[in-house]
Amino acid sequence: MQFNNFDTTAFLRDYWQKRPLLIKNPWQSWRNPLSPDELAGLACEDHVESRLITQSSDDWNAEHGPLPETRFGELGKSPWTLLVQAVDQHVADVAALIEPFRFIPNWRIDDVMVSFASDGGGVGPHFDHYDVFLIQGLGRRRWQIGGMCDDQTALRSHEDLLLLAEFETAEEWILDPGDMLYIPPGIAHNGVAVGKNCMTYSIGFRSPSRKELIGSWCDDLLPEMTDDDRYCDPDLAHQSNPGEIPATAIDRLHAMVTEKLADRNDFAKWFGEYSSTPKYPETDWRPEEPIETDHLRGLLNADHPLLRNPASRFSFIRESADKLLLFVDGESFPCTGDEIPLAEMLCAQDQFVIDSAWLESDEIVVLLAGLYNRGSLAFDWS
Ligand code: SIN
Ligand code: CO
């Protein structure tokens, strides 16, 4: 699926992280990639994250999956919505929906959530902390957008759903199949199905909070720190009031913290690993049998195409002209020489035929075998 009619450069300049945009069917030819029955099937599987939201008069109730298959037959006339997270990890045609959005870097992309709603169904007025492209897959949905919200905005008291206490519509549109709405973080929105079979695909993004960055990096740093690395003051001088913590002590204490946090290279390596950690790290994608390097070389020399696992995250940081750090699924791999263009290709494409000249290098075959044996790469036998 490719865009036919969407100027991504103008979009980044004028709308990304700035204001909402309705994009009327930008696709070459829109084809809904998943059926409602397939979506319902995913919501019944235990390794898939899903929620069923049912509405009664002016209230919303959330049930968490996996849902029993019988649950769908019990749904009454009142509106309901089924939401399934990270469908791209399970359905190749849904993963393919992300490809046209690669004008935004891999590390910013989260997942594709898919919703199915009965007539009048929706999750209620809310805001998200992330950018989102809402693609209408099937049927129609009315989207209303409101003002800018933040953590001070009043919410309805509800255990599971962050519903807004007040919502005032600033603009509204009805989206038909293939239409797309971009909503930046913090903008209130409310989507309600108009008629039957309303399916919406949300291409969701990620942006770490300062709280998450500091907390997670410190968690990573702590195990390697030792108890003997302590404040010391061999130059301690008399002070007039023993209650004062003098500026010199504060400077020294503060430096103990900031010096540790100021190392940009350490931060870059940690962030690459952290941000490439899979969304569901407990899911084991490893092949049943690990592959030997010679076997892998043979298959690659016979031009068998390799695929990136859609659940895997690939990115890199350029350390210098001849050194790059490749990050895959929470681990880092230092790359030099021909490993550099290989790593760039692994991050830029979702499937590839490996150049036979590269396969003469043991380092390259060992790297590819390592990624294959972790389940981050696989062969396309289709
Ligand atoms: C939906 O698809 O129903 C909800 C998506 C959203 O508002 O973030
Ligand atoms: Co939302």
Side-chain angles (χ1 to χ4, degrees):
M1 205 91 70
Q2 280 305 324
F3 294 132
N4 181 27
N5 184 16
F6 179 34
D7 181 344
T8 53
T9 308
F11 168 78
L12 288 178
R13 187 189 60 220
D14 299 334
Y15 296 95
W16 172 252
Q17 297 243 303
K18 300 169 196 77
R19 50 204 172 107
L21 176 67
L22 172 69
I23 308 143
K24 287 297 279 179
N25 205 333
W27 310 92
Q28 243 154 30
S29 60
W30 173 253
R31 195 181 59 83
N32 179 48
L34 184 77
S35 73
D37 281 349
E38 287 169 308
L39 186 71
L42 282 171
C44 302
E45 291 187 24
D46 4 285
H47 58 284
V48 178
E49 188 184 339
S50 63
R51 278 175 305 161
L52 178 68
I53 318 278
T54 42
Q55 276 165 256
S56 53
S57 57
D58 196 21
D59 202 11
W60 279 262
N61 175 56
E63 285 163 58
H64 292 267
L67 302 168
E69 275 174 48
T70 49
R71 184 69 187 94
F72 296 103
E74 295 159 0
L75 288 160
K77 287 232 169 334
S78 48
W80 56 271
T81 300
L82 173 68
L83 303 156
V84 184
Q85 291 293 335
V87 177
D88 50 306
Q89 300 198 3
H90 307 287
V91 183
D93 284 351
V94 174
L97 261 191
I98 299 180
E99 292 317 305
F101 294 93
R102 297 279 178 203
F103 66 94
I104 296 162
N106 294 354
W107 74 269
R108 292 284 266 118
I109 297 177
D110 187 10
D111 70 345
V112 185
M113 181 186 82
V114 187
S115 70
F116 177 87
S118 69
D119 192 7
V123 300
H126 68 279
F127 75 98
D128 301 301
H129 286 297
Y130 308 106
D131 309 80
V132 65
F133 283 97
L134 299 154
I135 307 170
Q136 193 59 25
L138 206 62
R140 306 175 83 207
R141 187 186 281 274
R142 174 181 295 106
W143 281 104
Q144 300 173 315
I145 56 167
M148 192 67 179
C149 307
D150 58 25
D151 284 348
Q152 308 304 314
T153 305
L155 300 178
R156 287 186 184 213
S157 53
H158 195 293
E159 286 168 28
D160 271 319
L161 300 169
L162 296 171
L163 297 179
L164 296 173
E166 282 165 34
F167 178 78
E168 212 172 297
T169 307
E171 267 186 288
E172 79 172 45
W173 304 277
I174 291 189
L175 270 66
D176 289 307
D179 291 347
M180 198 159 91
L181 179 63
Y182 163 73
I183 302 182
I187 295 282
H189 52 282
N190 185 29
V192 178
V194 179
K196 287 197 293 192
N197 282 344
C198 171
M199 257 178 117
T200 305
Y201 296 78
S202 303
I203 314 284
F205 294 86
R206 307 182 293 163
S207 55
S209 65
R210 193 190 301 258
K211 175 176 166 182
E212 174 194 348
L213 281 178
I214 295 178
S216 306
W217 191 24
C218 288
D219 284 349
D220 186 74
L221 288 172
L222 286 178
E224 67 183 47
M225 289 198 237
T226 57
D227 286 334
D228 58 359
D229 179 13
R230 278 181 185 267
Y231 179 78
C232 46
D233 49 4
D235 51 353
L236 186 66
H238 281 288
Q239 58 185 59
S240 56
N241 186 332
E244 181 177 1
I245 307 171
T248 48
I250 293 293
D251 288 346
R252 207 174 274 179
L253 290 160
H254 189 219
M256 286 175 75
V257 176
T258 52
E259 277 162 13
K260 188 74 196 162
L261 296 181
D263 191 320
R264 191 182 175 284
N265 287 344
D266 278 1
F267 175 77
K269 179 169 181 288
W270 166 77
F271 184 72
E273 292 172 355
Y274 172 75
S275 62
S276 68
T277 302
K279 190 173 174 84
Y280 302 103
E282 61 289 355
T283 309
D284 185 357
W285 294 98
R286 285 176 300 176
E288 273 169 31
E289 288 289 327
I291 201 162
E292 301 287 338
T293 48
D294 284 345
H295 184 200
L296 179 68
R297 183 181 266 122
L299 290 169
L300 293 173
N301 267 324
D303 286 350
H304 283 296
L306 269 178
L307 299 182
R308 251 181 1 206
N309 177 351
S312 289
R313 298 187 186 281
F314 282 72
S315 51
F316 69 83
I317 286 174
R318 229 179 274 285
E319 290 200 314
S320 64
D322 51 11
K323 190 155 178 250
L324 171 154
L325 264 186
L326 169 68
F327 303 103
V328 184
D329 294 336
E331 285 187 61
S332 52
F333 303 86
C335 296
T336 53
D338 278 350
E339 291 169 307
I340 293 180
L342 173 82
E344 289 167 340
M345 185 178 81
L346 296 179
C347 292
Q349 291 165 220
D350 58 353
Q351 50 181 297
F352 6 72
V353 171
I354 308 289
D355 189 329
S356 56
W358 286 348
L359 295 170
E360 284 164 27
S361 147
D362 284 341
E363 285 82 9
I364 285 193
V365 182
V366 167
L367 174 62
L368 290 171
L371 296 176
Y372 179 92
N373 289 332
R374 285 174 174 80
S376 310
L377 295 176
F379 281 107
D380 180 8
W381 296 116
S382 60

